[in-house]
Amino acid sequence: MGEELNRRKFLTYVGTGVTALTVASTGLGAFTPTVEAKGAKAASHLFGRKKKVSGLNFTPIKPTDKDDLVLPRGFKYDVVAAYGDVINKQGDTFGYNNDFTMFFPMKGSNERGLLWVNHEYTSDLWVTGPKSKDGTYTKAQIEKLLYNQGGSIIELYRDEEGVWKMDTTSQFARRITGLTPFKLTGPARGAKAVGGTDVVQGTFANCSGGKTLWNTVLSAEENYESTSEAASLNETHYGWIVEVDPFNTSFAPRKHTALGRFHHENSAMGLTNDGRVAVYMGDDKTDACVYKFISKNKYIKSRKQANSALLEEGTLYAANMSKGEWVALTLDAVRKKAAGKQELLEKFQTQADVLVHAHEAAILLGATPTDRPEDVEISPFDKSVFIAHTNNSKHGNIHGHITRFLEANDDLGSLTFDFEIFACGGRQSGFSAPDNLTFDSGGNLWTVTDISSSSVNKGVFSSFKNNGVFVIPTSGKNEGDAFQFASAPVEAELTGPCFTDDETTLFLAVQHPGENTEDINNPTSMWPHRKGDNQPRPSVVAITGFKY
Ligand code: FEO
Ligand code: CA
Ligand code: CA
């Protein structure tokens, strides 16, 4: 990195008041000299999070097209749950195409806890069977379609040999599916815009998500159209952020309409400087916007799960990146823009209409259409906000990039921001199509890639081989450089990376291995290569071997 670039970066940080330039070592000790953590004390004071490790040690792997989850030397994975596995005494089974995972420790343990897992979509070949000639599913097929999406709550533990396993005797293990009733909260609850209802059927298309400050899970409904259409369900009941308490069945599963309806990728929650809740969200579509919700009221820790009400009232904003402004999606503003356009004035009559058609409202108000904003994560070190823009071939952005928002005054409640491009996909960086993100306590951004099954290993994607996991330091000498940690099985996407609190285990969901299979007798992948099995299975793994 040149002196000029270093200087520019330094000025950027000083200019926005961010203290993180020297906060954290980059980790990756095997090949990265440790940077003195001059600001670490201030950072852990500010964000309540101490750096737990002095540096991650691994030798990066090379791209590979092997039909396995390939890890650096010294690491191993245990398959903890695969499609169809029984998860509890009632005989419920693990859904298809696992995505986001979130670990909820039991009694603070790093070796026993509940894992929430999203199930994003199914497969005609492996789950429902094909549609009839008229393009419809039978009733039994629709049940399979709905049952195998949503979420799984499974209980996991690490045995004496250090192997992670599922505890199927768990009293907590259960399924949340496309058949589970959900209550609506917020402005669109009972509104005409959602057919006047306050209870809806099920959740599906669950892509990524997040954890709340009060220990519940938020799961994001993304590409809901095909399922709602196939099952003849009202599509305005889908495309929301849903909330579930993995430990507590009396906490009614709910959809928070105040956070808007679009193709939700995930949610990242933090606190504004005055104690309100801010939730950042991506909308995974080409030419879609980045959103932020800010609650009206303040977070009060002692209220525990009752803080869920914070997600019922507040303001939804979308990012105008040309002006560096968060634009409030209010009915007044939308109607002002719609003046003279009868069709729009009819569409947007209430705040519920604005939330149900959030993307259209955002564009109308000047929010910036971007290149598939997927995962969004808030840096625990400096509160900058990282957004994976997966790609957008319409703009020639074939390999995607990661954007970093710097909120004014480092306040998640600010309505102005600056931004920079943190890292770019392509041959030069070694990764393409960044998707889910998570941080480790060394300040490294763990990034999974999602080159589509139709493109992977072909043409300009050849050099990347299979999808992977990359580790990208967010400060220090290697800031923005990507080091490959894992390679996915054939035609799989790696999703939902989640560390245990002590960072000795990384959970990862391996989605759609063998997705291009046309003949079930000749699958393109057989991962996870279970003895006696005759098909590939989306599965969640626990990766261990981290040494500090
Ligand atoms: Fe479901 Fe945006 O990936
Ligand atoms: Ca995703
Ligand atoms: Ca994706």
Side-chain angles (χ1 to χ4, degrees):
M1 192 185 300
E3 266 317 299
E4 185 48 40
L5 192 55
N6 268 324
R7 190 177 133 73
R8 184 188 62 74
K9 282 186 179 171
F10 184 71
L11 290 174
T12 306
Y13 278 91
V14 170
T16 54
V18 175
T19 52
L21 182 65
T22 51
V23 164
S25 95
T26 58
L28 302 162
F31 49 88
T32 308
T34 300
V35 177
E36 185 50 44
K38 284 182 193 162
K41 210 170 157 203
S44 44
H45 167 70
L46 275 174
F47 309 117
R49 182 168 168 165
K50 285 202 180 102
K51 203 162 84 62
K52 297 189 197 82
V53 295
S54 56
L56 291 172
N57 290 289
F58 70 87
T59 307
I61 62 165
K62 291 202 167 70
T64 166
D65 54 11
K66 200 172 168 195
D67 186 31
D68 198 0
L69 177 64
V70 178
L71 302 171
R73 210 168 350 100
F75 292 81
K76 65 149 181 139
Y77 69 86
D78 305 317
V79 173
V80 293
Y83 165 58
D85 286 355
V86 171
I87 63 163
N88 59 16
K89 286 186 277 193
Q90 295 76 43
D92 286 318
T93 55
F94 196 66
Y96 201 69
N97 270 344
N98 35 225
D99 199 300
F100 172 71
T101 76
M102 183 51 72
F103 186 69
F104 292 83
M106 296 168 95
K107 297 182 185 147
S109 172
N110 290 295
E111 301 201 327
R112 182 176 282 271
L114 300 183
L115 193 74
W116 169 276
V117 182
N118 275 2
H119 298 292
E120 188 175 20
Y121 62 104
T122 60
S123 152
D124 280 6
L125 203 61
W126 304 110
V127 181
T128 56
K131 289 177 177 164
S132 345
K133 280 200 183 111
D134 65 359
T136 62
Y137 289 117
T138 64
K139 198 164 166 257
Q141 284 178 306
I142 289 170
E143 280 215 359
K144 280 189 182 172
L145 178 77
L146 296 172
Y147 182 78
N148 286 294
Q149 297 182 67
S152 287
I153 297 158
I154 53 178
E155 185 168 336
L156 302 179
Y157 66 101
R158 202 171 179 189
D159 73 9
E160 312 76 53
E161 269 92 56
V163 179
W164 277 96
K165 291 178 175 160
M166 177 160 51
D167 182 352
T168 56
T169 67
S170 169
Q171 56 168 317
F172 297 104
R174 62 185 160 119
R175 287 295 319 280
I176 300 286
T177 74
L179 300 157
T180 308
F182 274 77
K183 70 173 194 178
L184 297 182
T185 79
R189 177 176 186 265
K192 199 171 142 204
V194 296
T197 190
D198 53 9
V199 177
V200 300
Q201 179 192 318
T203 185
F204 43 79
N206 304 77
C207 190
S208 189
K211 198 187 232 180
T212 64
L213 297 166
W214 45 93
N215 213 37
T216 60
V217 70
L218 298 178
S219 173
E221 296 178 339
E222 193 195 45
N223 294 311
Y224 52 82
E225 287 94 337
S226 61
T227 299
S228 61
E229 192 189 328
S232 303
L233 294 163
N234 180 337
E235 77 165 33
T236 64
H237 298 177
Y238 309 96
W240 301 106
I241 291 287
V242 311
E243 184 181 12
V244 174
D245 185 341
F247 290 101
N248 182 2
T249 49
S250 65
F251 181 96
R254 56 200 69 179
K255 301 195 181 196
H256 292 298
T257 69
L259 278 64
R261 174 176 165 270
F262 40 92
H263 298 93
H264 278 287
E265 172 73 24
N266 90 316
S267 66
M269 183 179 282
L271 282 180
T272 64
N273 285 4
D274 65 2
R276 293 170 297 154
V277 158
V279 184
Y280 291 83
M281 298 170 286
D283 179 7
D284 184 7
K285 276 283 166 205
T286 49
D287 305 331
C289 308
V290 178
Y291 294 83
K292 165 165 89 168
F293 167 85
I294 300 180
S295 65
K296 179 174 175 231
N297 297 316
K298 291 180 182 173
Y299 170 67
I300 300 169
K301 195 174 177 197
S302 60
R303 293 192 71 210
K304 298 185 179 164
Q305 275 73 8
N307 281 297
S308 171
L310 294 171
L311 303 181
E312 298 178 13
E313 202 178 353
T315 307
L316 182 65
Y317 300 88
N320 179 327
M321 293 176 68
S322 316
K323 292 186 175 165
E325 287 172 8
W326 289 103
V327 183
L329 272 54
T330 62
L331 180 64
D332 277 358
V334 170
R335 283 187 70 83
K336 221 176 255 173
K337 280 279 176 194
K341 295 176 191 135
Q342 203 47 39
E343 203 184 318
L344 287 176
L345 288 170
E346 267 165 39
K347 186 173 218 168
F348 294 107
Q349 294 184 36
T350 64
Q351 186 61 27
D353 295 328
V354 173
L355 294 166
V356 165
H357 305 288
H359 169 73
E360 205 174 338
I363 295 292
L364 204 58
L365 295 176
T368 305
T370 71
D371 295 344
R372 291 187 59 200
E374 293 212 64
D375 229 341
V376 184
E377 292 297 330
I378 304 163
S379 164
F381 296 91
D382 62 12
K383 293 202 271 186
S384 59
V385 179
F386 289 77
I387 301 146
H389 286 98
T390 298
N391 52 33
N392 190 345
S393 57
K394 276 168 37 186
H395 300 165
N397 188 357
I398 306 301
H399 297 305
H401 59 274
I402 302 172
T403 307
R404 184 181 203 169
F405 277 24
L406 305 159
E407 297 277 31
N409 307 314
D410 308 332
D411 180 1
L412 303 185
S414 287
L415 299 183
T416 56
F417 62 91
D418 200 352
F419 74 93
E420 60 190 37
I421 305 301
F422 168 69
C424 285
R427 286 172 62 96
Q428 81 294 340
S429 59
F431 71 88
S432 176
D435 189 339
N436 297 155
L437 309 170
T438 195
F439 278 95
D440 66 32
S441 61
N444 303 302
L445 188 64
W446 290 63
T447 306
V448 303
T449 63
D450 176 15
I451 304 169
S452 71
S453 295
S454 57
S455 302
V456 75
N457 259 312
K458 292 187 192 128
V460 297
F461 299 96
S462 303
S463 66
F464 308 104
K465 304 228 167 144
N466 292 355
N467 277 305
V469 175
F470 295 81
V471 183
I472 312 179
T474 61
S475 66
K477 183 169 164 268
N478 292 108
E479 180 183 329
D481 295 338
F483 302 94
Q484 187 163 3
F485 176 79
S487 173
V490 168
E491 292 153 18
E493 173 188 350
L494 299 177
T495 58
C498 174
F499 282 102
T500 51
D501 201 43
D502 66 355
E503 296 176 357
T504 53
T505 299
L506 174 68
F507 296 104
L508 192 65
V510 180
Q511 200 189 64
H512 60 71
E515 189 167 51
N516 291 343
T517 298
E518 287 174 5
D519 174 4
I520 55 170
N521 296 312
N522 193 17
T524 53
S525 165
M526 276 298 286
W527 190 86
H529 304 283
R530 275 186 170 170
K531 261 196 200 122
D533 203 357
N534 59 359
Q535 65 175 92
R537 288 180 194 270
S539 309
V540 170
V541 302
I543 297 170
T544 49
F546 299 98
K547 290 187 185 67
Y548 308 113

